[in-house]
Amino acid sequence: MTARAAAKPQPKTDRGERTRRKILSAASAEIGRRGFSVTSISDITAAAGVGQGTFYIYFESKEDVLRELVLQLGRDLRHHLSGAIARTKNRLEAEREGLRAFIEFVRGNPGLYRIIEESQFVDDAIYRRHYMDFAATYRSALEVAEQRGEIRKGNAEVRAWALMGMAVLLGQRYGIWDVATPLDDVIGPAVDLIGRGIQP
Amino acid sequence: MTARAAAKPQPKTDRGERTRRKILSAASAEIGRRGFSVTSISDITAAAGVGQGTFYIYFESKEDVLRELVLQLGRDLRHHLSGAIARTKNRLEAEREGLRAFIEFVRGNPGLYRIIEESQFVDDAIYRRHYMDFAATYRSALEVAEQRGEIRKGNAEVRAWALMGMAVLLGQRYGIWDVATPLDDVIGPAVDLIGRGIQP
DNA sequence: CATTCATATGACGATCAATTCATGTTTGAC
DNA sequence: GTCAAACATGAATTGATCGTCATATGAATG
């Protein structure tokens, strides 16, 4: 499940580069829409408009493609989030804008969300790394905010995972299953919970 | 993926009942250990010690078994949690004991946890129902606590999903990936977050 | 324009899992 | 103890995907 074969060499021409991208992009669309396990390699190559054998010029296996997609999505999401948080002036505002950006991202890319979650059952290591990376970033941000006195002292590691968990399930609930509820109706209560908790 | 075929009739003899259970239990063990997609029906029947054809006397397909496992796990988990919460005397205590019981359950049954999560990619409807059911219960509990003045007023639906999300990812992080950290080191900070939030 | 490397193809063989079914065994009601 | 219904079996069929390979085309170089 986590076995790594020798990676395929990078394409050496523009044409190769383009073809590789076509395959990756078709894989993202097909897997995002129908799921990893039911998508066959020939589904992907058909969607990409290339021959079946072409796939194996650039990738070892379907798992290999998924790994690359997860990494790519991680980068995209990170970029999207850091853009949203950039101009906030304290931690709670960052939580608000980060959560909003996350659910927006999910609404805009439901398939991509599913790809990451399903990667757990294909290559646990890559899924884990995805979350570990986000957690590490989150944790640092919380520690900085703590230093600055923007938030109470607390266990930043546990907090990071708890807050990520909130975002993940709210993303599922309000980003995929229900895209009708206005985001403000979700963000408001969620940020209130993050900021002040439930106690009177 | 969500297609439902005519359900198989219940066994009519003790022997039948026993065989059906053997298959379900073997399926739970195998799928929990190795994952749904890589487990074949013959893996399951071999582990159960029955012939391959026997499987089809009781189940339509592997998906059919998974549905039943998810329902069963939902009942088990609900039972485990309500037992843990029963004697708590306010909402925050219930959050504490519920979270502890949940992560304990995950540590004790990592495979079961994976079964529920993977069901999302096999039969989305059953996975969704699982969460919807828990959310409905959670929401009611929060509304009652609100009535009693045990917690501040707030959007119980959003809160329920946010808190479930926290539990799910903390369960992943501290129930599956890291089972060495003492639970109190996790529960404490998490309940502090739930109770008072991060603001100073 | 000749040569060479990179890229592209899709038919084909190997593999594997799902499901059926003809046949045999067990159970329990009478 | 008989008998019909329920249950059990695993070999055989079916269907689908993977991954390879012989062959062909494209592009760049001198």
Side-chain angles (χ1 to χ4, degrees), chain A residues 1-91:
Chain A
M1 201 92 343
T2 306
R4 200 68 46 89
K8 294 278 176 172
Q10 289 291 109
K12 298 188 173 157
T13 68
D14 272 5
R15 183 170 62 132
E17 186 57 44
R18 259 178 285 130
T19 303
R20 188 173 191 281
R21 267 196 239 283
K22 273 200 294 182
I23 294 172
L24 261 180
S25 149
S28 174
E30 288 298 297
I31 296 175
R33 192 166 54 81
R34 308 204 309 130
F36 178 83
S37 50
V38 298
T39 300
S40 68
I41 288 176
S42 69
D43 287 338
I44 294 171
T45 53
V50 303
Q52 307 209 31
T54 309
F55 181 91
Y56 294 94
I57 298 176
Y58 302 105
F59 302 99
E60 287 293 331
S61 61
K62 224 171 36 159
E63 286 75 13
D64 197 21
V65 173
L66 189 74
R67 269 188 284 277
E68 186 136 346
L69 287 178
V70 170
L71 291 176
Q72 197 176 278
L73 286 175
R75 284 193 297 268
D76 289 354
L77 182 54
R78 229 180 302 280
H79 185 258
H80 188 72
L81 292 182
S82 61
I85 296 177
R87 308 213 170 283
T88 57
K89 43 186 205 305
N90 62 53
R91 189 60 221 167

Side-chain angles (χ1 to χ4, degrees), chain A residues 137-181:
Chain A
T137 307
Y138 213 142
R139 178 191 169 143
S140 298
L142 289 173
E143 281 167 348
V144 167
E146 213 176 282
Q147 294 290 326
R148 290 186 181 151
E150 291 176 10
I151 64 178
R152 290 189 301 119
K153 288 204 183 304
N155 184 324
E157 179 77 9
V158 170
R159 280 178 169 177
W161 287 85
L163 294 171
M164 282 201 304
M166 281 185 39
V168 169
L169 206 59
L170 289 173
Q172 179 91 256
R173 167 71 175 80
Y174 294 103
I176 305 223
W177 290 340
D178 163 18
V179 294
T181 300

Side-chain angles (χ1 to χ4, degrees), chain B residues 19-33:
Chain B
T19 304
R20 188 173 191 281
R21 266 196 240 283
K22 272 199 294 182
I23 293 172
L24 263 180
S25 148
S28 174
E30 288 297 299
I31 296 176
R33 192 166 53 83

Side-chain angles (χ1 to χ4, degrees), chain B residues 49 98 115 121 123 133 159 161 182:
Chain B
I115 288 173
F121 303 102
D123 185 337
D133 285 354
R159 279 178 170 177
W161 285 86

Side-chain angles (χ1 to χ4, degrees), chain B residues 113-181:
Chain B
Y113 190 79
R114 278 197 226 102
I115 288 173
I116 292 178
E117 290 305 312
E118 195 168 6
S119 76
Q120 177 179 9
F121 303 102
V122 178
D123 185 337
D124 188 55
I126 200 85
Y127 174 76
R128 215 153 138 167
R129 176 146 13 124
H130 172 84
Y131 271 101
M132 293 287 188
D133 285 354
F134 268 92
T137 305
Y138 212 142
R139 180 193 166 139
S140 300
L142 289 174
E143 281 167 349
V144 167
E146 214 177 282
Q147 293 290 326
R148 290 187 180 150
E150 290 176 11
I151 62 177
R152 290 189 300 120
K153 288 202 182 304
N155 184 324
E157 179 76 7
V158 170
R159 279 178 170 177
W161 285 86
L163 293 172
M164 282 200 305
M166 279 184 38
V168 170
L169 207 58
L170 289 173
Q172 178 91 258
R173 167 72 175 79
Y174 293 104
I176 305 221
W177 290 340
D178 163 17
V179 293
T181 299

Side-chain angles (χ1 to χ4, degrees), chain B residues 93-115:
Chain B
E93 252 188 49
E95 293 298 330
R96 178 185 309 275
E97 294 313 313
L99 183 57
R100 183 193 310 281
F102 179 72
I103 302 184
E104 270 169 3
F105 183 87
V106 174
R107 284 193 174 176
N109 309 279
L112 311 192
Y113 190 79
R114 278 197 226 102
I115 288 173

